[in-house]
Amino acid sequence: VQLQASGGGLVQAGGSLRLSCAASGSGFGSMVMGWYRRPPGEQRDLVASIRSDGSSHYVDSVKGRFSISRDNAKNMVYLQMNSLKPEDTGVYYCSGLVVAGTPIAYWGQGTQVTVSS
């Protein structure tokens, strides 16, 4: 499985961005997909995840502002980011986790999101 993230950029505080992640290969529909963020000088942490049934999870700092979604027919996962804050700045990574059998995690390349104040 290969993951290709896109959609990052520079935006002013209060603005919006939509990140996209295209997956190639088989098994996308059963994978848990996630978006991670690595702020400058910090570790990479989970921002949001979505299961195959559409159930989602968000870190508290983005609840009510970010929305994760997936289109299994197109092998795509999205992260709609609204009301962006400077602390949302970082490199965003798309991930896919195979949960059946031995867990396997796939990672895409990061896309930079910079929120100016």
Side-chain angles (χ1 to χ4, degrees):
V1 175
Q2 290 187 326
L3 303 175
Q4 181 76 32
S6 61
L10 174 64
V11 64
Q12 289 188 333
S16 297
L17 282 175
R18 188 194 195 203
L19 304 183
S20 299
C21 177
S24 60
S26 61
F28 175 84
S30 62
M31 297 172 67
V32 179
M33 301 302 297
W35 287 97
Y36 286 71
R37 173 173 67 199
R38 188 179 67 194
E42 299 183 30
Q43 66 182 18
R44 183 169 57 186
D45 288 320
L46 179 67
V47 173
S49 63
I50 185 167
R51 293 184 173 273
S52 58
D53 63 0
S55 59
S56 57
H57 165 81
Y58 299 91
V59 66
D60 285 346
S61 63
V62 307
K63 284 181 179 177
R65 299 188 299 121
F66 290 12
S67 178
I68 189 171
S69 60
R70 65 190 298 163
D71 185 335
N72 290 338
K74 296 181 178 179
N75 282 13
M76 295 289 295
V77 63
Y78 307 97
L79 185 68
Q80 178 66 43
M81 305 185 294
N82 299 326
S83 302
L84 283 161
K85 304 175 180 180
E87 51 264 43
D88 294 319
T89 293
V91 180
Y92 284 70
Y93 297 88
C94 174
S95 74
L97 178 64
V98 176
V99 296
T102 302
I104 301 174
Y106 297 94
W107 293 93
Q109 92 294 355
T111 184
Q112 176 71 44
V113 172
T114 303
V115 185
S116 63
S117 58

